[in-house]
């Protein structure tokens, strides 16, 4: 499957059908993990309830995603040959979920072929965010990976990336 | 477009008490269904922990590439979840209807032990009718 075409950021961010609150930022928080579970980026805009400290929180989030991917791959009703539960899956192997919704939030997930996982937590009535996540991935490629001072698999400290993500998320919906 | 692939019922501790397959490709043996059900129970609980806003009651809908998973949790902690085609509508209503059948034909059955696997014939019959009716209605849409 052709994942991403071209190396430039699309000229205009895709219009998303998000119907969320009128406050400045429409998303609650964003996480970016690499394939080994290292949390590369975490930003929160609206998080009244914090139950765990940041390291535990990111580990819990990664664990949840890992297990959910394993569950969807095993539960896939259209595939005949299913692997075993708990076996680490390569990106793109087996059926993967792209979002889940609870009564208080909606979590959208995207995994790139290199294992970079982008998670966006928004208001529950948000629409499909697949294109938005792809756009954020393009921002990551432009401002982080192409930054010569950035060491891969470390925390992202690129000011331009932070600003562009903030600006884009503010514009969602 | 509301074809159901399978239905699972989990008790409040996460143990599988009912599992019915309506046509997924590939067989899943009992051990795997038990593991999947417990895994779902734990994921449901963890998702409540990660909520940014207080008052979360767990995952209602999980959307994957080839299927959707709708979950309904009763006030007592019993979870009903159904694996269906992507974009299915009316699953919430069907799950509530299955919950009503559960209360009528399982809980009111004097020989049924709480939290044990469901082996009530009337429940199976009415469940089959409800799923069939839903399937017929969806093909008519």
């Amino acid at each position: 499957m052709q994942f991403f075409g071209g190396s430039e950021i699309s000229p205009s961010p895709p219009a998303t059908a998000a119907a969320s609150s009128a406050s400045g930022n429409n998303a609650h928080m964003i996480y970016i993990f690499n394939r080994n579970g290292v949390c590369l980026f975490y930003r929160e805009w609206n998080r009244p309830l914090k139950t765990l400290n940041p390291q535990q929180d990111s580990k819990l989030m990664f664990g949840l995603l890992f297990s959910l991917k394993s569950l969807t791959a095993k539960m896939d009703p259209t595939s005949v040959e299913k692997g075993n539960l708990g076996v680490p899956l390569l990106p793109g192997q087996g059926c993967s979920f792209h979002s889940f919704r609870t009564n208080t939030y909606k979590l959208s997930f995207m995994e790139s072929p290199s294992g970079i996982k982008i998670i966006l937590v928004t208001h529950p009535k948000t629409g499909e965010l697949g294109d938005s996540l792809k756009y954020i991935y393009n921002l990551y490629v432009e401002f982080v990976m192409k930054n010569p001072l950035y060491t891969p698999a470390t925390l992202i400290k690129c000011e331009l990336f932070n600003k562009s993500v903030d600006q884009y998320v503010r514009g969602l919906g | 477009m509301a074809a159901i692939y399978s239905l699972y019922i989990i008790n409040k501790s996460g143990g599988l008490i009912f599992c019915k397959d309506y046509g997924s490709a590939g067989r899943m043996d009992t051990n795997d269904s038990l593991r999947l059900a417990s895994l779902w129970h734990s994921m449901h609980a963890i998702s409540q922990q990660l909520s940014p806003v207080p008052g979360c009651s767990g995952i209602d809908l999980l959307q994957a590439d080839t299927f959707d998973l709708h979950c309904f949790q009763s006030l007592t902690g019993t979870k009903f979840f159904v694996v269906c085609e992507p974009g299915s509508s009316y699953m919430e209503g069907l799950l509530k209807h299955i919950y009503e059948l559960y209360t009528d034909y399982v809980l009111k059955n004097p020989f049924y032990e709480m939290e044990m696997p469901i082996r009530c014939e009337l429940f199976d019959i009415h469940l089959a009718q409800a799923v069939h009716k839903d399937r017929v209605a969806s093909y008519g849409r």
Side-chain angles (χ1 to χ4, degrees):
Chain A
M1 163 177 109
Q2 179 62 20
F3 218 21
F4 305 110
S7 62
E8 321 91 43
I9 310 177
S10 358
S12 58
T16 48
S20 26
S21 57
S23 61
N25 272 315
N26 289 310
H28 290 292
M29 56 243 203
I30 187 171
Y31 295 79
I32 299 183
F33 293 101
N34 76 349
R35 67 193 314 159
N36 298 322
V38 176
C39 183
L40 303 175
F41 187 72
Y42 168 70
R43 203 153 179 88
E44 65 183 36
W45 298 284
N46 179 19
R47 191 173 188 178
L49 177 71
K50 284 182 252 267
T51 48
L52 301 163
N53 74 41
Q55 279 89 345
Q56 286 181 320
D57 186 66
S58 62
K59 281 195 199 135
L60 190 65
M61 179 58 85
F62 187 77
L64 176 71
L65 296 171
F66 180 88
S67 310
L68 273 178
K69 267 189 45 167
S70 188
L71 181 120
T72 51
K74 187 73 187 182
M75 212 172 237
D76 185 6
T78 55
S79 80
V80 180
E81 191 47 60
K82 298 170 200 171
N84 290 318
L85 259 185
V87 167
L89 296 165
L90 297 170
Q93 186 188 22
C95 175
S96 175
F97 77 103
H98 52 80
S99 72
F100 72 72
R101 189 195 71 204
T102 72
N103 61 330
T104 51
Y105 69 97
K106 176 171 184 167
L107 186 143
S108 308
F109 170 73
M110 189 202 81
E111 185 172 20
S112 79
S114 54
I116 300 293
K117 304 184 210 316
I118 305 182
I119 295 99
L120 193 57
V121 177
T122 55
H123 187 273
K125 288 204 175 45
T126 320
E128 286 293 324
L129 285 177
D131 289 333
S132 308
L133 292 174
K134 284 204 184 104
Y135 183 75
I136 294 175
Y137 180 71
N138 280 333
L139 290 178
Y140 165 80
V141 165
E142 288 299 311
F143 293 123
V144 178
M145 291 317 288
K146 292 185 181 174
N147 182 342
L149 301 173
Y150 172 72
T151 331
T154 59
L155 203 59
I156 296 174
K157 292 194 182 83
C158 312
E159 198 44 55
L160 267 181
F161 180 67
N162 294 352
K163 254 192 274 188
S164 52
V165 167
D166 276 347
Q167 201 176 12
Y168 178 62
V169 168
R170 204 167 293 136
L172 275 180
Chain B
M1 263 265 289
I4 301 169
Y5 289 115
S6 50
L7 166 74
Y8 296 77
I9 306 181
I10 319 180
N11 66 16
K12 62 164 87 77
S13 345
L16 183 67
I17 58 177
F18 186 80
C19 165
K20 187 103 174 91
D21 184 69
Y22 294 103
S24 21
R27 301 197 45 85
M28 179 136 54
D29 60 351
T30 5
N31 282 338
D32 279 339
S33 339
L34 286 165
R35 276 185 218 122
L36 275 178
S38 320
L39 186 57
W40 179 254
H41 174 83
S42 319
M43 298 299 106
H44 195 94
I46 292 177
S47 68
Q48 291 178 312
Q49 276 258 305
L50 288 168
S51 170
V53 170
C56 184
S57 63
I59 303 180
D60 291 331
L61 167 64
L62 174 87
Q63 288 172 306
D65 301 331
T66 53
F67 68 94
D68 279 357
L69 192 152
H70 292 255
C71 181
F72 168 69
Q73 182 177 34
S74 72
L75 291 167
T76 52
T78 311
K79 286 184 259 302
F80 300 78
F81 68 93
V82 75
V83 176
C84 55
E85 278 178 6
S88 299
S89 50
Y90 193 60
M91 278 301 134
E92 318 286 312
L94 179 68
L95 282 170
K96 294 216 164 71
H97 183 55
I98 293 176
Y99 179 53
E100 279 174 35
L101 294 178
Y102 169 77
T103 55
D104 284 338
Y105 298 109
V106 177
L107 295 181
K108 293 179 187 172
N109 182 338
F111 299 112
Y112 173 68
E113 284 178 62
M114 284 302 304
E115 321 294 352
M116 289 286 119
I118 295 173
R119 289 199 211 296
C120 308
E121 208 180 299
L122 274 180
F123 177 68
D124 290 333
I125 294 171
H126 282 85
L127 180 66
Q129 278 176 357
V131 168
H132 180 72
K133 200 167 63 160
D134 179 78
R135 191 165 283 169
V136 165
S138 73
Y139 286 148
R141 276 185 213 126

